[in-house]
Amino acid sequence: MAEKTREDDAPSQADTSLVSASLASASSLVLLQLLSRVFTFVLNQALVRLVTPQVFGTASIQFELLLSTILFLSREGVRNALLRSTENKARPQQSALIYNISLLPVLLGAPVAVASVCIYLFSSSATTASQPHFHFSAVIYALAAFCELLSEPLYIRAQNELRFDVRVRTEGSAVLMKTLVTFLALVSLSPDWALVAFAAGQAAYGLTMLVGFLGAYGFRARYWPEQVVAKVHDNTKTEYFDTKLLHLSMAMTGQSVIKHFLTEGDKFLVSRLSPLADQGGYAVASNYGSLVARIVFQPIEETSRLFFSKTLSSTTSNKWEDLQVAANVLTVLLLLFTHLFLLLVTFAPPYLSFALRLVLPARYLQTSAPAILRTYVYYIPTMAFNGILEAFFTSTATPADLRAQSRWLLGFSACFVGTAALLARGGGLGDTSLVWANAANLCMRAFYAWMFAARFFCEQGAGRLVHWRKAVPPVKVLVLFALAAAATRWSEATLGNKPLTLGAQIPHVFVGAACALACLAACVLWERKTFQDAYSLLRKR
C-alpha cells in the first residue's frame, strides 16, 4: 500500500512543479520583456532623432518583416509541437528522437533564408533599393536570422526541461547587445551606414543567442539527425523521428505560412504600398503601440501555451482536475484582458494627443504615427484575447483540427485584405485601415479559437467550466468604467482649447488619475474573490 501511495502522489508533485515553473516562467518573462522593452524604448527614442523616417521605416518594417518571415516559417510549427513532448521512461531513446525534430528549424532555415532574401531583394522598389548599402544590410539580416536558428534546438531543450533561467539570461543579454551595437554604430558611422548599423545590431542579437544557449549546455550540440535503434517486440527498428510529433510539427509548420501572413500582413502591405516616410511613421506607431503587448501579453501567451500543453497532454489519473485548472486559468486570463480593454477604451482616447506630444519627435507628428496609435487603443486588447485563445488551441488541437483551422484562416486572410481595401478606399483612412483590418481579423480568429475551446471542454464532459460570463466583470464595475469614461471626456472637452503642455494639462491629468484609481479600487473590491479562488486552485496543485 505504501508503494501505491507514493505512485499516486507522483502526478500531483509533477503538477505542482509544472504550475510553479509556469508561474515562475511568466514572472521571469514579464521582467525580461519589461527590461528589454525599456532598452528598446530608450533606443527608439534616440533612433528616431538620429535617423530619417525613411531609414527607420526600412529597418523596422521591411528588414524586420524579412527577419520574422525566416524565423516564423522555419521554427514556429516545430517549437509549438514539441511543447507537447513528454518523457517516456519505457522508451529512453525518445529524447534523441525529439532532439532530431528540434533540428528541423536549422535544416529548413537555410533554404528559407536564401529564398526569402532573394525574393525580397528582387521585389524591392527602386526607391527602397537605392538607399546606401541596402543589399548588404538585407543579407546581414538573413544571416542573423539563420544564426538565431542555430540556437533553436537548445532553446527547445531548455523549454522542455523548464530551464527558464537560461532563456531569460540569454535573451536579456542578446537584447542588450543589440541595443548597444545599433546605437554605437549609428553614433560612430556616417548616415550612409545607418541601415548597416541596424543590421549589425541584429547580427549581435543572433550571435549572442547562439553563444548563450551553447554556453548553457557546455558547447555541446549536434546539427544533423542521428539514427535511433529501438527494440519493439524483439524486433530491431531504426528511427529518426517520433512519428506523432513529426506529423504534428509538419501540420503546424504548414499552417504557419497562413498565420504569418495574417500576423504580419499589415507590414507586408505597408512595405509595398506606403511611401518610405510613412513606413517610418507606421514603424514608430507599431513599436510604441505594441509595448504593452510585448511586455505583458507575449510572456503570458508563451507561458500559457507551455502550461496548457503539459497539463492537457498529461497521462495522470487526475483528468478532471487538469481540466478544471486549465479552464480556470483560461477564463481568469480572459477576465484580466477584459479589464485591460476597459482601461484602454476609458482612459487612452482623452489623453492620447497630450501623450503623443511628449514622446513623438515633431517630424513624426506629420506622419501616420498619431492616427495609427489611436487605433491601437482597440487593437491591443484584440491581440491579448486572440493570443491566449490561440495558445489554448495550439496546445490541444489535433492535426485534423489544424487542417480545419487552416481552411478558416484562408477565409480570414481574404477578409483581412478585403476589409483593408474597403476601409482605405471608402474612408480615406490610409495606414490606419490596415490596423482596423488586423483588429477585425484577430476578432474572427479569437472567436474561432473560443468556439474550439468551448467544444473541447464539452467533449471532455466539462462544458460548464467555461462560459463567456466568467470573462466579463460584474455590472457594478462596468457602470463605474462608463462613468469614468464620461468624466474624462468631459474633462478633455473643457480643456480642449488649452495648450498640450504639462502645466496646462495638470487638471485634466488629475481627473484621469482620480477616475483610474476609483476603477482599480472597484476591481479590487468587487472581484478580489474571483482571483483569490483561481490562485487557491493553483496552489492546491
Side-chain angles (χ1 to χ4, degrees):
M1 289 296 292
E3 285 287 322
K4 179 119 177 26
T5 302
R6 283 195 295 271
E7 289 177 6
D8 288 344
D9 287 341
S12 63
Q13 292 169 1
D15 290 342
T16 302
S17 175
L18 175 59
V19 171
S20 59
S22 298
L23 294 175
S25 166
S27 59
S28 299
L29 292 179
V30 167
L31 180 61
L32 169 64
Q33 289 295 331
L34 176 61
L35 294 177
S36 66
R37 293 308 158 189
V38 167
F39 276 118
T40 304
F41 180 80
V42 173
L43 175 66
N44 283 340
Q45 287 293 92
L47 294 185
V48 295
R49 290 164 172 80
L50 290 173
V51 301
T52 64
Q54 289 82 353
V55 169
F56 195 74
T58 301
S60 298
I61 294 292
Q62 301 201 25
F63 286 169
E64 286 293 330
L65 180 59
L66 171 65
L67 179 77
S68 65
T69 297
I70 296 170
L71 295 176
F72 197 91
L73 298 185
S74 300
R75 74 187 183 187
E76 197 67 17
V78 174
R79 177 180 285 189
N80 290 334
L82 290 187
L83 286 177
R84 302 195 199 182
S85 62
T86 54
E87 292 186 7
N88 188 345
K89 295 181 180 180
R91 294 191 65 198
Q93 305 90 344
Q94 189 179 28
S95 60
L97 297 175
I98 292 173
Y99 188 85
N100 284 348
I101 296 177
S102 72
L103 295 176
L104 293 179
V106 179
L107 303 178
L108 186 62
V112 169
V114 172
S116 297
V117 75
C118 288
I119 292 172
Y120 171 65
L121 290 176
F122 282 112
S123 63
S124 297
S125 67
T127 303
T128 302
S130 64
Q131 297 177 94
H133 310 293
F134 169 78
H135 293 81
F136 179 51
S137 302
V139 171
I140 294 178
Y141 261 88
L143 291 174
F146 183 71
C147 188
E148 188 174 342
L149 285 174
L150 289 174
S151 67
E152 188 65 16
L154 297 178
Y155 170 93
I156 292 174
R157 179 177 171 183
Q159 284 287 95
N160 283 329
E161 292 176 358
L162 304 181
R163 293 186 62 183
F164 302 113
D165 60 312
V166 174
R167 178 184 172 185
V168 170
R169 183 171 61 248
T170 302
E171 287 191 8
S173 302
V175 169
L176 178 61
M177 287 300 298
K178 177 181 178 179
T179 303
L180 291 177
V181 170
T182 305
F183 181 76
L184 292 176
L186 281 172
V187 171
S188 60
L189 298 176
S190 70
D192 286 349
W193 291 85
L195 288 178
V196 178
F198 282 96
Q202 191 59 49
Y205 181 91
L207 283 170
T208 306
M209 288 285 288
L210 177 59
V211 172
F213 279 105
L214 284 173
Y217 286 97
F219 292 90
R220 294 189 300 271
R222 58 179 174 85
Y223 289 100
W224 194 258
E226 65 178 16
Q227 288 186 352
V228 177
V229 180
K231 284 191 174 182
V232 180
H233 303 300
D234 296 327
N235 295 322
T236 301
K237 183 180 179 181
T238 301
E239 298 176 295
Y240 281 94
F241 306 106
D242 182 289
T243 305
K244 182 179 178 181
L245 287 174
L246 178 63
H247 289 163
L248 186 61
S249 299
M250 293 171 62
M252 288 186 171
T253 299
Q255 190 189 63
S256 65
V257 177
I258 307 171
K259 293 189 73 172
H260 179 62
F261 174 75
L262 289 173
T263 303
E264 304 286 0
D266 58 334
K267 290 183 180 178
F268 177 80
L269 293 175
V270 166
S271 68
R272 290 294 176 261
L273 301 177
S274 296
L276 281 177
D278 276 348
Q279 291 184 37
Y282 194 92
V284 169
S286 178
N287 286 335
Y288 290 167
S290 60
L291 273 176
V292 175
R294 292 173 178 173
I295 292 173
V296 180
F297 303 155
Q298 184 178 340
I300 290 177
E301 180 182 340
E302 292 181 11
T303 304
S304 299
R305 190 181 294 117
L306 172 68
F307 178 78
F308 290 140
S309 296
K310 299 298 184 184
T311 300
L312 297 177
S313 64
S314 66
T315 57
T316 67
S317 59
N318 301 320
K319 191 66 176 178
W320 175 257
E321 291 185 14
D322 292 338
L323 291 168
Q324 190 177 17
V325 170
N328 204 279
V329 169
L330 179 63
T331 54
V332 166
L333 287 176
L334 292 175
L335 180 61
L336 281 173
F337 294 158
T338 304
H339 284 90
L340 172 73
F341 172 75
L342 292 172
L343 285 168
L344 284 174
V345 172
T346 301
F347 297 103
Y351 295 92
L352 196 58
S353 297
F354 171 55
L356 292 179
R357 288 282 179 179
L358 296 179
V359 300
L360 280 183
R363 58 182 170 179
Y364 281 89
L365 292 172
Q366 308 306 317
T367 67
S368 58
I372 293 170
L373 280 169
R374 288 186 179 89
T375 64
Y376 262 85
V377 171
Y378 307 94
Y379 181 48
I380 289 172
T382 62
M383 284 194 287
F385 286 117
N386 179 71
I388 187 63
L389 288 168
E390 286 203 341
F392 182 86
F393 178 90
T394 303
S395 304
T396 55
T398 64
D401 294 326
L402 292 170
R403 287 192 294 271
Q405 190 199 34
S406 295
R407 292 190 291 270
W408 281 96
L409 289 177
L410 285 172
F412 296 157
S413 301
C415 290
F416 166 71
V417 175
T419 303
L422 286 174
L423 289 174
R425 179 182 300 178
L429 298 177
D431 289 340
T432 60
S433 63
L434 297 177
V435 183
W436 285 117
N438 250 342
N441 159 55
L442 288 179
C443 285
M444 290 187 290
R445 288 168 58 181
F447 180 74
Y448 181 90
W450 168 256
M451 295 303 294
F452 171 86
R455 187 174 71 251
F456 174 87
F457 282 100
C458 284
E459 290 173 351
Q460 305 293 324
R464 64 181 179 82
L465 294 179
V466 291
H467 196 280
W468 65 267
R469 288 193 183 90
K470 293 185 177 182
V472 178
V475 175
K476 292 180 287 188
V477 174
L478 297 176
V479 170
L480 188 58
F481 270 101
L483 293 175
T488 52
R489 281 154 180 79
W490 170 84
S491 176
E492 182 188 26
T494 57
L495 298 171
N497 57 348
K498 294 190 177 182
L500 292 175
T501 61
L502 184 58
Q505 295 291 322
I506 284 179
H508 183 39
V509 173
F510 178 79
V511 171
C515 291
L517 287 174
C519 290
L520 291 174
C523 293
V524 172
L525 178 64
W526 290 322
E527 300 190 72
R528 180 175 54 190
K529 188 175 186 305
T530 300
F531 295 108
Q532 284 180 338
D533 290 346
Y535 183 71
S536 299
L537 182 61
L538 285 172
R539 288 293 299 270
K540 291 178 182 178
R541 303 280 290 171

